[in-house]
Amino acid sequence: MKRFIYMTLIGGLSLGLFSCQDDYLDLDPQDQFTDVVYFKKPSDFKAYTGDFYSQLMGWRSPYGGNTVYNNMDFSSDLSNYFNFQADVGRGTIQIVNDDNRWNNPYSWIRKINILLSKVDSYPGNVNDIAPYVSEAYFFRANAYYSLLKTFGGVPIVTGVLEVNSPELFGPRNSRYEVVDLILSDLDNAIANLPTEQSIPGADKGRISKWAAKALKAEVELYEATWRKYNGTSTDFEGSTGPASDQIDTFLTDAVNQCKDIMDNGGYELWNYNSNTSIANQSYYYLFNLEDAGSNPGGFTKATNKEFILYGVYDVVLRTGNQNLSLTSQNSGSSRKMMDMFLCTDGLPASKSPLFQGYHAIGDEYKNRDLRILGYIGVTPTTAPITNGVAGYGNRKFVSYQYGIYRNANQESPNYPIIRLAEVYLMYAETLFEKNGTISDADLNLSINKIRARAGVANLTNALVAANSLDMLTEIRRERTLELYKEGFRYDDLKRWGIAEAELNQSTCGQVVGDASYTTAYRDGTGAATAAYNPSAYVWGEEIVQTAKGPLKCVVIDSKLNRNFSKKNYLWPLPQKQRDLNPALKQNPGYN
C-alpha cells in the first residue's frame, strides 16, 4: 500500500516540469533540475511557478480529455445538450474508482508545497522571490477551491509528504477548515502579487493582485451563500462545524475586494457595440477574440481589458485543441433560458409589454436583450423542429467564420475564468445578501453597466416595486444570463439551495402551442404544420410556464429522467482513495 501511495503522490514529480510551451506561453525550455542546484535564484522560482498555470481551467482542461465541456453548464436547466454533465444534471452521479478531480489537485498541491518549503532556505533576499511565492499561495488556494466545490471538506496538506507521513492516513478536514486555508492562502497571495498594470507585456497572463482579490471574493460569496442556504446539510459524518458564524464577515470582505477591483483595477467591459463593423455584437466577439482576423472590426486580444483571470491561448504557441465551435453550435439553449432574457425596457419578458410572444418564428427575439444575439444567434426566419431538436442554437464560443478562418481544434481565444462582469455581479449580490437591500447608486456601479452593454434599461428599486419583482431574483437573473456557459450554473444553483427545484424540471424547447395559441408549429385547428414532426419527440409535449403563461412546448428531456437530490450537491469521494485510507468518510447519501 505504501509503495502505491508513494508512486501516486511523489513519483514522477521531478523538477523538470517545464519542457514545453503547452503549460505556459513564453516559457523557456528547462533542463532537469534537482533540489541541490535549484531554488537558488529568483529565476528558478519564476520558472518553477510556470508549471502551476496548467491547473487553470481552460480549453485544455487540467483534468484531461474533453472535460472542459464538463465545465460549460451542459445538461443543466439552461441547456438542451446532454452529451456532457448528464450525470449531475439528471442526478445520476455514481461512486467511481478513480477521479482526476481528486488526483490532479493533490498533485498540484504537492508541487506547490515543494516551492513553499524552499523559501526559508533561500540564500538571497526573500523580497526578490516574493511574487513567485505569492503565485504559489494563489495556486494552492485555487486547487483547494476546486476540491471544495467538488467534494466539500478534504484532507489539508501544507507540507511535502513522505512515504510514511501520517497525513496520508488521516481523516478529512471539514469544509470550514478548507475555506479558512483558502482565504489565508489568498491573503498571502494578495500581499506580494503585482497589479495588472505592472506586469510586463511578455508576462501578461500571469496572476495579478486583482486576480487574487477576485478569486477571494468569489470564494467568500460561494461559501457565505452555501452556509446561508444549505447550513451543514452536506457535511460528511463526523465533520466539525464552523468555529463561528462567518457569513457576514465573508460578505463584507467580498464587497470590499470587489470595490477595490472596480475602483483601482483598471479593467473595463469590452463594449464595442457602437462600432459599425460589429454593431451590437460585443457579446459574440468577446468570446472568440483572437487576432485581428477573428472579427470584422480587427480587434485583438490586446483590446480585452475585461478578463481578470484567464487561461492564455495562442493559435501557434498553445492552441485550444478542442473542436470548440462544433460542440458549441450543437449545444443550444432551453425554453427556460430563452424566457430569462430581458426586454429592452429592463423588464422580464413575462412582465414587459414589448415582448412579442411566440406566434411567429423570431417574434420572441424582438425587443430583447443583446445577449440573445451574442449567445443564441440572430433572429431566425425559420426554425423547423422535425428531428427532435429544441429549436434554439448557440453562438457563444463559436469562432468567426468557423471552417474558413478557423478550422476544428484551432480555435484559441483566451479562456475566461473571472472577468470584470462577474466582479460587478458579485458586488451586487454580496451587498444584497448582506443588507437585504441595494441602492440604485450601487446598482449603477455594477449590474447596470452590464445591462447597458446588453442594451436594456437600468435595474432600479422603482422598477422592481412598480412591477412586483424581487430584487434578489433579478440580481440572480443577471448572473445567470451574463455568465451563461462559463461554468457557474451548477455551483450557483447549489449554493442558493435551489438545485433540486430547478434541475428536476423537464427541459423544453420551442413553444408549439395549440388551437387556442397558434404558432408556426400548430395551426388554428391544432394540427401540426410541416415545420413540426411530433413523432420525433419521444417525450412529447408538456404545458410549462412561459413568458406568455402556460403553453405547450416540445420536451427534450423529461422530468422523469431527473432525480437530482441534496446528495448531488457534492460528488462522492473516489473508492480508490477510501481503500487506501479508510479514515476518509464518504459524502452523505453515497455510502
Side-chain angles (χ1 to χ4, degrees), residues 13-25:
L13 297 182
S14 69
L15 300 183
L17 299 169
F18 323 110
S19 59
C20 70
Q21 289 176 313
D22 285 353
D23 290 332
Y24 188 71
L25 291 179

Side-chain angles (χ1 to χ4, degrees), residues 55-56 137-147 186 215 309:
Q55 76 168 263
L56 291 176
Y137 278 117
F138 174 90
F139 280 107
R140 190 168 73 179
N142 188 62
Y144 274 113
Y145 184 40
S146 175
L147 288 165
L186 287 173
L215 184 61
L309 177 61

Side-chain angles (χ1 to χ4, degrees), residues 21-22 25-26 60 314-319:
Q21 289 176 313
D22 285 353
L25 291 179
D26 300 325
R60 295 188 176 195
D314 181 87
V315 72
V316 175
L317 297 175
R318 193 188 188 218
T319 58

Side-chain angles (χ1 to χ4, degrees), residues 480-492:
T480 300
L481 291 173
E482 181 70 21
L483 302 179
Y484 177 55
K485 292 202 171 179
E486 293 179 51
F488 292 96
R489 184 57 173 172
Y490 285 116
D491 287 332
D492 285 345

